[in-house]
Amino acid sequence: MSMYTASSLKSELNDRGWRMTPQRETILQIFQNLPKGEHLSAEDLYNHLQQMGEKISLSTIYRTLKLMARMGILRELELGEDHKHYEINQPYPYHHHHLICVKCNKTIEFKSDSVLKIGSKTSQKEGYHLLDCQLTIHAVCPACQRAISPL
Amino acid sequence: MSMYTASSLKSELNDRGWRMTPQRETILQIFQNLPKGEHLSAEDLYNHLQQMGEKISLSTIYRTLKLMARMGILRELELGEDHKHYEINQPYPYHHHHLICVKCNKTIEFKSDSVLKIGSKTSQKEGYHLLDCQLTIHAVCPACQRAISPL
DNA sequence: TATTTATTGAGAATACTTTTTAATAACTCC
DNA sequence: GGAGTTATTAAAAAGTATTCTCAATAAATA
Ligand SMILES: [Mn+2]
Ligand SMILES: [Mn+2]
Ligand SMILES: [Zn+2]
Ligand SMILES: [Zn+2]
């Protein structure tokens, strides 16, 4: 749960016998510069890259997202849509959680030190090495409460 | 976040112009009787039903799982596999959270009153109607920390 | 620089989930 | 209780996100 740079990522990859590539560096940069509150799907990232003139294949994007999520660099989020979203996994005090409307998927971010503490305490107690902890609140937003619901 | 019975489910469905069916009642019962710590995928549920001699189609299962999740009766869980898992959404003090190994998907359940409080406080503050809150901790279990990792 | 092999890109394949359709059956209102 | 309305079901087809395959490329290492 610390900050990554291109070179620290390279070190960690090389230590495990893996390789740093321009594709991985580019993807890391995009997430590092992503505005607060934005979350990218694989397809979003693909489009984002195309607009920048970068050509990275969808296969590579999927592979890289999964790799970085398992390394703890990215967080994999379920925001109620039919695909995963990703964002950079920031340490305290930028670490945050999500409140999601199950009907319209509107998402609000919020912080909580105590959740972070519970996460590290719990993983420590079980001997797990912590990568990320996310509190996801499923609820119905004010607008959807008023709407006559088709589901 | 309260306990459902077949008749309370029927009432809530009818209030919205929907219908109670034997399929929905059967599926509710299965989740109510599921052993602590067990989570079912759509396919798991389908097989479970077949063994009971019940014939409910996969489409109906998918529809019912989504319906009950949106109603707050079931929790939809991402346990690291390529499909969703479901369990009954129990109120305090049975409500719990999950610690997941990102490498082998081993899952441990744990309780936390304070997370529950944060969940209700946060949703209330934003005017959201709370359905469920889940703290998901992504980590590496002791066994996988020792293993030479292919990823 | 040469060697090794992890990684990439393109497309094919897979797997999960949703949609479509006609038939059925729950609910409502007499 | 019975008739009418329409939500729900089963089965199959379709859709879509994600993974896999494989030959070509290029990072790491010495
Ligand atoms: Mn976020
Ligand atoms: Mn559970
Ligand atoms: Zn909403
Ligand atoms: Zn593990």
Side-chain angles (χ1 to χ4, degrees):
Chain A
M1 302 247 279
S2 58
M3 274 305 205
Y4 276 84
T5 61
S7 73
S8 72
L9 172 57
K10 174 167 158 52
S11 307
E12 190 163 334
L13 288 169
N14 291 348
D15 285 352
R16 305 195 200 185
W18 303 336
R19 295 173 186 175
M20 185 55 155
T21 65
Q23 290 88 342
R24 287 172 180 177
E25 183 169 349
T26 302
I27 291 174
L28 176 62
Q29 276 182 0
I30 288 184
F31 279 104
Q32 283 174 331
N33 297 327
L34 206 63
K36 189 168 155 342
E38 252 195 69
H39 309 110
L40 299 183
S41 66
E43 200 86 21
D44 290 339
L45 177 55
Y46 182 71
N47 295 334
H48 193 120
L49 285 162
Q50 292 230 308
Q51 290 182 334
M52 292 171 54
E54 301 274 349
K55 306 175 193 95
I56 301 183
S57 72
L58 254 183
S59 338
T60 297
I61 287 177
Y62 274 106
R63 272 186 302 238
T64 305
L65 289 173
K66 182 178 273 190
L67 174 78
M68 291 186 174
R70 296 212 180 168
M71 290 176 74
I73 299 174
L74 297 180
R75 317 171 86 184
E76 200 171 66
L77 307 173
E78 286 296 331
L79 300 180
E81 297 180 45
D82 51 1
H83 49 254
K84 297 186 174 75
H85 283 88
Y86 296 83
E87 70 180 349
I88 197 89
N89 185 15
Q90 288 176 303
Y92 176 87
Y94 299 103
H95 188 267
H96 64 268
H97 305 283
H98 300 93
L99 167 61
I100 305 171
C101 175
V102 299
K103 297 199 175 170
C104 68
N105 295 332
K106 177 171 181 249
T107 300
I108 292 178
E109 298 188 336
F110 66 96
K111 292 184 183 176
S112 170
D113 294 0
S114 42
V115 168
L116 209 47
K117 277 179 204 140
I118 291 165
S120 58
K121 205 174 64 182
T122 304
S123 51
Q124 195 167 52
K125 182 183 160 199
E126 301 286 349
Y128 279 55
H129 171 69
L130 179 64
L131 291 177
D132 181 32
C133 71
Q134 356 182 141
L135 175 57
T136 306
I137 303 178
H138 298 264
V140 183
C141 78
C144 290
Q145 286 174 48
R146 287 190 296 272
I148 294 156
S149 57
L151 191 113
Chain B
M1 302 245 281
S2 59
M3 275 306 206
Y4 275 85
T5 62
S7 72
S8 72
L9 173 57
K10 174 165 159 51
S11 306
E12 191 163 333
L13 289 170
N14 290 349
D15 285 352
R16 305 194 201 187
W18 303 335
R19 295 172 186 177
M20 184 56 153
T21 64
Q23 290 89 340
R24 289 173 178 175
E25 181 168 352
T26 302
I27 291 174
L28 175 64
Q29 276 182 359
I30 287 183
F31 279 104
Q32 284 175 331
N33 297 327
L34 206 62
K36 192 169 151 345
E38 252 194 69
H39 309 110
L40 299 183
S41 67
E43 199 87 23
D44 290 338
L45 177 56
Y46 182 73
N47 295 333
H48 194 119
L49 284 162
Q50 292 230 308
Q51 290 181 336
M52 291 170 54
E54 301 275 348
K55 308 175 192 94
I56 299 183
S57 73
L58 255 184
S59 345
T60 297
I61 287 177
Y62 275 106
R63 270 185 304 239
T64 305
L65 289 173
K66 179 177 275 191
L67 174 79
M68 291 186 174
R70 297 212 178 166
M71 291 177 73
I73 298 173
L74 298 180
R75 314 171 87 184
E76 200 171 66
L77 307 173
E78 286 295 330
L79 300 179
E81 295 179 47
D82 51 1
H83 48 255
K84 298 187 173 76
H85 283 87
Y86 296 83
E87 69 180 350
I88 196 93
N89 184 17
Q90 289 176 302
Y92 177 85
Y94 299 103
H95 188 265
H96 63 269
H97 305 284
H98 301 91
L99 168 62
I100 306 170
C101 174
V102 298
K103 296 198 176 172
C104 69
N105 295 332
K106 178 170 180 247
T107 300
I108 292 178
E109 298 187 337
F110 66 95
K111 291 183 186 177
S112 170
D113 292 359
S114 42
V115 169
L116 208 47
K117 276 178 205 140
I118 291 165
S120 58
K121 206 174 63 183
T122 304
S123 52
Q124 194 167 51
K125 181 184 160 199
E126 302 286 350
Y128 280 55
H129 171 68
L130 179 64
L131 291 177
D132 182 31
C133 71
Q134 334 181 354
L135 176 57
T136 306
I137 303 178
H138 298 264
V140 183
C141 78
C144 290
Q145 287 172 47
R146 288 190 296 273
I148 296 157
S149 58
L151 192 114

